[in-house]
């Protein structure tokens, strides 16, 4: 598999729906790209849509990312402690929590919930 190096020297390897960036020999991190196609469609095809307003986009993605990171911290044993919930429960719970929070505060942004 041929991979091009980016300007920073990182080697991307594509695998849908995410891209894994390898830095050096051992470390890597995931760059989630799943909801950005839907976001681009909302912003460019329906800019007047209430779901595509800047407030909804930024707050929606911020809430979704923070909730997912917190859930991963609470359910992943790699952080050096016992998991509070099974990861399968957190995978189902995070979109429900994000959707509920965003709907409660009228900040609904469907692509953010997809994160």
């Amino acid at each position: 598999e041929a991979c091009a190096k980016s300007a920073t020297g990182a080697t991307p390897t594509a695998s849908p729906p995410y891209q894994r960036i390898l830095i050096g020999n051992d470390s890597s991190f995931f760059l989630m790209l799943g909801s950005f196609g839907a976001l681009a469609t909302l912003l460019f095809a329906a800019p007047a849509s209430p779901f595509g307003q800047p407030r909804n986009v930024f707050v929606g993605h911020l809430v979704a990312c923070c909730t997912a990171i917190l859930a991963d911290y609470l359910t992943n044993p790699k952080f050096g402690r016992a998991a509070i919930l099974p990861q399968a429960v957190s995978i189902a719970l995070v979109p429900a929590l994000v959707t509920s929070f965003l709907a409660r505060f009228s900040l609904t942004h469907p692509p953010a919930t997809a994160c």
Side-chain angles (χ1 to χ4, degrees):
E1 175 179 81
C3 294
K5 289 210 175 221
S6 69
T8 60
T11 306
T13 58
S15 180
Y18 60 86
Q19 185 171 6
R20 175 177 275 197
I21 308 292
L22 301 175
I23 300 173
N25 294 332
D26 298 331
S27 64
S28 68
F29 63 92
F30 288 103
L31 178 62
M32 295 302 292
L33 300 173
S35 70
F36 291 115
L39 173 61
T41 302
L42 265 177
L43 293 179
F44 296 114
S49 168
F51 298 137
Q53 297 306 307
R55 178 181 77 145
N56 294 32
V57 172
F58 292 118
V59 174
H61 278 93
L62 181 68
V63 168
C65 289
C66 291
T67 306
I69 290 169
L70 178 65
D72 186 47
Y73 180 75
L74 294 174
T75 61
N76 200 332
K78 76 177 181 183
F79 292 109
R81 50 171 183 65
I84 294 172
L85 293 171
Q87 279 192 315
V89 172
S90 112
I91 289 170
L93 193 60
V94 167
L97 288 173
V98 170
T99 303
S100 300
F101 180 84
L102 294 179
R104 170 69 177 97
F105 293 102
S106 300
L107 296 168
T108 305
H109 182 64
T113 304
C115 287

